[in-house]
Amino acid sequence: MAIFIVVFIVIQSVFFIVKSWKHGKEIGISKESMKNTIFSSALFTFAPAISILVTVIVLANSLGIVLPWIRLTVIGNLAYETVAAENALSALGGTINSEVTDPVSFTTVAWAMNIGAIFPLLLLPFAVKKLQKTIGGAISKSEKSSKIGDIISAAAFIGIISAFLSRSIAGLSSDGRTDAGVLSVTVLIVSVVAMIILTKICIKFKLSKIEPFTMPLSMFIGMGSAMILTHFLPDIAAIVWR
Amino acid sequence: MNSEYFKKVHKWGAIWNYASLIAMCAIPVVMSIVLKAWPDLNALAKTLAVLIPLYWVTAFVEIATYVPMLGAGGTYLSFITGNISNLKLPCGLNAMEGAKVKPNTEEGEVISTISIAVSAITTTVVIAAGVLLFAPVLPKITAEGSVFKSAFENVLPALFGALGAGYFIKHWKIAIAPMIGGCIILIFAPKMQVGILMFITIVISIISAMIIHRDLWYDDFKKMKSKS
């Protein structure tokens, strides 16, 4: 069943790549640009994908491998699946740390995880077209007449990033493992600085081919700083302020 | 915008969306048939009473937030394959930034869709390979005492720090208000879901940008007035 879902997702993604690539060529996007998008996106995805994989393995302790694998391949996300499974198991009087052996308990968790997650798919076909016409249309219309569209796009982007950066500075995670503290702020600062330095190097030495990889590389440097800090200054790295 | 292309994207997106919905609903049904065990309705109702208000409401806000940023193809694929805020959204935005194209343009639509599709394939392959080949070793990566533990617990600050760096330097004035606003909200509601928090910081950021660049708005308003 899991293999079927994997194949389904891959075919669907390949379908969209082929259609987009074809249209990209028609509207004059260079092959180079689309190729760079493919390579940098694959590299970008690698570290977060490992985190998702680790969640699959953690959930597999209680639910076996198939259900978490499927759920985190279709619609699922790190935070939702754990919360959904935890809630279902606690309603059944169990916990996520013990193996589910009763088939009724297992199917209850499977139904809960799936029903809880399907709502966006019910909503999307009605919402996407309308939203793109109204919000997207309004932005692109004003783009034509002035710089306002650019600024709104940048502001929306900054708004998204701000939510995550604020969480790294002042947030609490649901499982208490990644609360804001010295480590999260250090990683944040190191990755920002690494990105700035790498971008400057690329511009100065005209390394345009490496430019798409500066972002994933900075991300890895940021993650590496967490390892170094934890290894050499474990007491300081453990400080959280919430 | 070529409306013909967008119409096609909506059609493809809706078809794959419904196919995924059927696949999703089939999973628990098949499991119940194979195991000859149907769910405990009491426990299921209790769980859904917690999950539905929490996630179905968030879904409205998330869809409204992601569509203008990721375009139609990107949004459909993101919602079908999941892990949006922690992966697909930053990946799509990074690709558009790298290709120097903007959301809500045909170029943005193409690049965002390619990027999210590649991200979905990569994630699917990494999970499949990990599950099939490395399942026994993987828990050790995040186990207590592992050198990689702190790195993988801090993927998000690393990812968004690197992604935001360029924008924050270029538009630092706009960034001040949503950053302070986000931190203040988290002081009072430290576990607020990121989908809701993101919606609030986007609103703060756009209002902040409108105030900072009020001269542009005024010019635009004057142009519109003189045309009419």
Side-chain angles (χ1 to χ4, degrees), chain B residues 46-206:
Chain B
K46 265 189 200 166
T47 313
L48 291 177
V50 176
L51 294 181
I52 289 177
L54 204 66
Y55 289 100
W56 287 32
V57 175
T58 316
F60 280 109
V61 182
E62 285 186 339
I63 292 173
T65 312
Y66 298 147
V67 172
M69 297 308 289
L70 296 176
T75 305
Y76 277 115
L77 263 178
S78 294
F79 274 96
I80 291 168
T81 57
N83 284 297
I84 310 176
S85 62
N86 58 319
L87 178 55
K88 307 289 165 32
L89 175 70
C91 191
L93 296 177
N94 177 55
M96 286 188 276
E97 173 76 4
K100 297 180 177 63
V101 296
K102 286 177 212 149
N104 288 302
T105 58
E106 266 187 83
E107 291 81 0
E109 174 79 38
V110 166
I111 295 292
S112 162
T113 308
I114 292 177
S115 159
I116 290 165
V118 169
S119 180
I121 295 173
T122 312
T123 314
T124 307
V125 171
V126 167
I127 296 178
V131 165
L132 296 173
L133 305 173
F134 306 109
V137 237
L138 275 166
K140 288 178 188 162
I141 291 180
T142 50
E144 267 325 306
S146 157
V147 282
F148 298 109
K149 182 175 181 275
S150 57
F152 281 100
E153 282 178 356
N154 285 283
V155 169
L156 289 182
L159 192 157
F160 283 97
L163 186 62
Y167 265 83
F168 273 64
I169 285 171
K170 202 172 161 192
H171 302 282
W172 62 272
K173 280 185 193 166
I174 299 176
I176 295 171
M179 280 300 293
I180 293 175
C183 288
I184 291 172
I185 291 164
L186 287 170
I187 289 170
F188 296 104
K191 291 187 177 179
M192 177 180 271
Q193 275 186 60
V194 77
I196 304 284
L197 180 65
M198 198 190 287
F199 183 75
I200 300 171
T201 49
I202 289 174
V203 172
I204 298 174
S205 186
I206 291 176

Side-chain angles (χ1 to χ4, degrees), chain A residues 210-237:
Chain A
I210 298 171
E211 224 175 318
F213 304 105
T214 49
M215 206 260 127
L217 209 58
S218 307
M219 186 170 83
F220 290 134
I221 294 170
M223 288 167 71
S225 73
M227 288 161 65
I228 294 168
L229 190 66
T230 314
H231 186 74
F232 290 105
L233 299 164
D235 294 338
I236 293 175

